[in-house]
Amino acid sequence: TFNIVPEKREIVNEIDFEALEIIDEPKSLKNRPPVVTIMGHVDHGKTSLLDYIRNTRVAEGEIGGITQKIGAYQVDYHGEKITFIDTPGHAAFTAMRARGSYMTDIVVIVIAADDGMRPQTKEAIDHAKAAKVPFIVAVNKIDKPGVEVEKIKAELSAYDVLVEEWGGSIVFQEISAKTGKGVPELLDAILTTAMMLELKANPLRKAIGTVIEAKLDKGLGPIATVLVQNGSLRVGDSLVVGSCFCRVRLIKDDLNRLVKVAGPSTPVEITGFTDVPDAGDKFMGYDDEKKARFVAEKRKARKITQLRKGTPGVSLQDLHERILAGEMQTINVIIKSDNQGSSEAVKGALEKIEVEGVKIDVIRFQAGAITESDISLASASNAIIFGFNIVPDSIIKRKAQEEGVDIRVYRIIYDLVEDVKKAMKGLLKPTFEESVQGEVEIRQIITISKFVIAGCYVRDGVVKNDSKVRLIRDGVPIYESTISSLKRLKNDAKEVKTGLECGITIENFSDYKVGDLIQTFEMKEIKGI
């Protein structure tokens, strides 16, 4: 009922079924329900909307059952099914994307009419755009007096989101999750979007899908909520789930009913695992149980090896190799700067770069310091983070290193653009790289006579008395110089290490503030590519 691309057959059968390209016969394809994720800022009504939709098709006695425990359910609306994935938030959505689990067809972004665009609203839009998933805007709480819906449309347009009423393509639906007003129209919009996407699957083949969540149950052992994305899942099937083996013993639907078969776009809870899989793991059914067990063991061994090596990331310096090898046609970029005007200027400059066969996609551009949210988005999207007139602190640098995310910091737009051009053409040859030696936090200001001393705590690394330093305030470097004096317990010190306190004065500077960071650094010569 389906074909496998020949050159990938051997690799996939042993380990990498995620790389398998399956070509189903057109006559075996059937329409499947859309899979929808609802996102938005905290307290804007995401949960209330999910609850209202859920209550429209679940009898009162069934509320509080498996539906609320497995985090996914289906509704039947005008004879059509819609599957909703109830993720805890953007972090879960991003983590699944980072594992290559693109299981959402449509995103609904909820905005409270009385609050408007908020930080997490913008993050949700960024994630949907980066995943290239169509999204619908649902403006909630329109039953409240004095709300200004047109203001929200203006805020969206300022964020490059044009709704249909303003000549764009984004569906904008006013709703009240409390009264249900507008919810039927929202469901209509979801079905219309799904119809345009022409979502199809082959219910005759072995199941392929993704783990939504998993846990260890005292009575049943490892259990997982999975989304069947193609094929059909049956009791007794042999699965490879991430690096785990599963011979399916029980299948329960979202109403806690035992079922024997689950078709495409159906969320179910299953048992029969050898271990607890991870959320975001993909699974595939096998005809041969022995082969499935063999593949699971191979994948488990590979996973252990990868964890020891760390996560491979995308860096500016290896971009040209991937481009020349035909592995990368789009470079995803996140821009953070000292102000929004700078972010827009950098974005505009990068988007004007023209190199045949390669394009730059700016998936986020904002003012402010680089955050863990930026690292998560970059990790999930294989993006490079460019900082303009800002410097990441040691915690963010460590997080980026763990996630394999490359952060590049610049002060001149021309230098940033030239480096990207050279990387795209395979000509980038940096000769120097900054190495941060230590980072301290200013915790008090001490004034003795005419001298102002920064009372500091060394958060990371080591501080030496002759170091070059920069002072950072709210993520933005405001001064660079050298340390003129370094003291430990009122005595001169050559160096002070992590976890210790010290007093620092910076040459020709005295405007210290509590909470400022001081980074010590040196420039190291490195070899070109």
Side-chain angles (χ1 to χ4, degrees):
T1 58
F2 62 95
N3 299 318
I4 297 176
V5 176
E7 63 270 21
K8 293 186 178 180
R9 180 190 298 271
E10 195 63 30
I11 298 174
V12 173
N13 282 348
E14 289 190 4
I15 298 176
D16 286 326
F17 63 75
E18 291 175 356
L20 180 65
E21 181 183 349
I22 296 168
I23 304 173
D24 290 299
E25 295 292 340
K27 62 182 180 182
S28 67
L29 295 174
K30 307 294 181 185
N31 291 334
R32 67 169 178 83
V35 180
V36 180
T37 297
I38 297 183
M39 303 171 72
H41 192 76
V42 64
D43 294 332
H44 275 206
K46 177 177 78 77
T47 302
S48 299
L49 175 59
L50 285 166
D51 286 344
Y52 183 87
I53 294 171
R54 179 185 296 131
N55 292 343
T56 60
R57 62 85 176 171
V58 180
E60 191 66 33
E62 293 169 333
I63 295 296
I66 199 71
T67 302
Q68 296 191 7
K69 288 192 289 185
I70 73 171
Y73 61 92
Q74 276 191 339
V75 301
D76 195 309
Y77 180 69
H78 291 173
E80 301 286 343
K81 286 184 168 57
I82 303 173
T83 299
F84 287 92
I85 304 295
D86 186 7
T87 62
H90 309 148
F93 184 84
T94 307
M96 287 183 178
R97 284 191 52 235
R99 294 188 182 99
S101 305
Y102 290 83
M103 62 180 177
T104 300
D105 299 312
I106 301 167
V107 170
V108 173
I109 296 173
V110 177
I111 305 175
D114 60 344
D115 201 17
M117 292 275 285
R118 303 290 293 159
Q120 283 182 299
T121 315
K122 296 174 181 177
E123 286 184 12
I125 293 171
D126 286 340
H127 288 306
K129 285 182 176 179
K132 302 191 186 310
V133 176
F135 62 91
I136 295 169
V137 174
V139 178
N140 190 27
K141 303 183 183 181
I142 59 163
D143 50 311
K144 287 195 170 186
V147 296
E148 298 181 36
V149 176
E150 291 301 312
K151 181 180 177 183
I152 295 174
K153 293 178 183 178
E155 290 175 339
L156 285 166
S157 68
Y159 206 68
D160 291 335
V161 176
L162 273 182
V163 301
E164 290 177 333
E165 294 87 341
W166 285 33
S169 60
I170 303 300
V171 176
F172 184 93
Q173 181 60 49
E174 299 176 27
I175 66 167
S176 169
K178 184 177 179 181
T179 67
K181 182 179 179 181
V183 174
E185 289 80 2
L186 174 62
L187 297 177
D188 285 333
I190 290 172
L191 289 177
T192 300
T193 304
M195 183 175 64
M196 295 171 64
L197 293 173
E198 297 184 341
L199 304 170
K200 295 183 182 296
N202 175 11
L204 302 178
R205 53 151 297 138
K206 289 288 185 181
I208 284 180
T210 302
V211 175
I212 297 173
E213 56 191 34
K215 63 181 179 180
L216 183 63
D217 184 273
K218 290 181 180 179
L220 298 172
I223 61 176
T225 301
V226 302
L227 176 71
V228 180
Q229 293 173 275
N230 199 0
S232 292
L233 182 66
R234 292 175 169 80
V235 173
D237 280 354
S238 295
L239 309 178
V240 177
V241 188
S243 59
C244 305
F245 170 78
C246 176
R247 192 168 193 278
V248 182
R249 291 203 306 261
L250 294 175
I251 303 178
K252 290 183 179 181
D253 68 9
D254 56 345
L255 293 176
N256 206 21
R257 301 174 300 197
L258 289 173
V259 295
K260 292 183 178 180
V261 183
S265 296
T266 304
V268 289
E269 188 176 80
I270 62 175
T271 65
F273 294 91
T274 53
D275 297 293
V276 180
D278 294 326
D281 278 349
K282 292 187 177 181
F283 71 84
M284 180 175 178
Y286 280 73
D287 292 318
D288 187 335
E289 181 178 334
K290 289 184 179 179
K291 178 172 282 188
R293 289 184 183 274
F294 171 77
V295 172
E297 289 299 319
K298 286 283 188 182
R299 289 169 66 83
K300 189 173 184 178
R302 187 183 66 168
K303 182 179 179 181
I304 292 171
T305 301
Q306 286 179 334
L307 288 172
R308 287 172 179 166
K309 288 182 179 178
T311 306
V314 176
S315 69
L316 189 62
Q317 299 211 27
D318 68 13
L319 274 180
H320 76 291
E321 294 179 4
R322 298 192 179 197
I323 292 167
L324 293 175
E327 296 178 12
M328 182 178 293
Q329 289 80 41
T330 300
I331 302 172
N332 290 331
V333 168
I334 293 172
I335 300 168
K336 298 301 289 282
S337 71
D338 54 342
N339 61 68
Q340 189 62 25
S342 296
S343 293
E344 291 172 359
V346 174
K347 176 178 182 286
L350 288 178
E351 289 178 340
K352 288 178 182 176
I353 298 175
E354 293 184 4
V355 174
E356 187 176 354
V358 187
K359 64 169 286 192
I360 290 176
D361 186 5
V362 179
I363 61 177
R364 174 177 288 175
F365 61 104
Q366 292 177 340
I370 297 169
T371 65
E372 290 196 15
S373 170
D374 298 320
I375 302 296
S376 297
L377 180 58
S379 176
S381 309
N382 280 334
I384 295 172
I385 298 177
F386 289 113
F388 187 72
N389 283 338
I390 60 170
V391 177
D393 63 28
S394 59
I395 295 172
I396 291 298
K397 283 190 173 183
R398 192 177 299 115
K399 176 73 173 175
Q401 190 173 14
E402 290 171 358
E403 296 288 337
V405 172
D406 189 22
I407 297 176
R408 309 278 295 202
V409 179
Y410 295 85
R411 292 191 178 183
I412 301 172
I413 292 181
Y414 174 82
D415 291 342
L416 188 159
V417 171
E418 285 302 300
D419 276 0
V420 174
K421 279 183 182 178
K422 290 173 183 176
M424 293 168 74
K425 296 176 181 178
L427 302 172
L428 183 68
K429 294 182 180 179
T431 54
F432 288 92
E433 182 177 66
E434 181 185 285
S435 174
V436 175
Q437 304 298 302
E439 183 174 278
V440 303
E441 178 185 349
I442 299 178
R443 294 190 168 178
Q444 67 177 122
I445 312 300
I446 305 164
T447 304
I448 301 176
S449 187
K450 296 181 180 180
F451 296 97
V452 181
I453 302 169
C456 303
Y457 173 79
V458 183
R459 301 201 319 183
D460 191 50
V462 61
V463 179
K464 298 181 180 179
N465 64 355
D466 56 350
S467 298
K468 291 182 178 179
V469 295
R470 68 166 58 89
L471 188 132
I472 302 167
R473 185 168 294 160
D474 298 325
V476 179
I478 63 171
Y479 190 75
E480 275 191 18
S481 186
T482 56
I483 290 178
S484 57
S485 71
L486 176 65
K487 294 186 179 290
R488 168 77 181 143
L489 300 177
K490 298 184 180 181
N491 298 317
D492 290 335
K494 290 185 177 181
E495 64 178 38
V496 181
K497 297 181 179 179
T498 303
L500 299 177
E501 295 179 338
C502 62
I504 292 177
T505 59
I506 298 175
E507 190 171 329
N508 298 323
F509 187 83
S510 60
D511 184 26
Y512 310 106
K513 293 187 184 298
V514 173
D516 286 350
L517 298 181
I518 298 175
Q519 281 186 351
T520 64
F521 65 95
E522 64 180 14
M523 303 301 291
K524 290 184 176 180
E525 187 171 357
I526 59 174
K527 294 180 180 180
I529 301 173

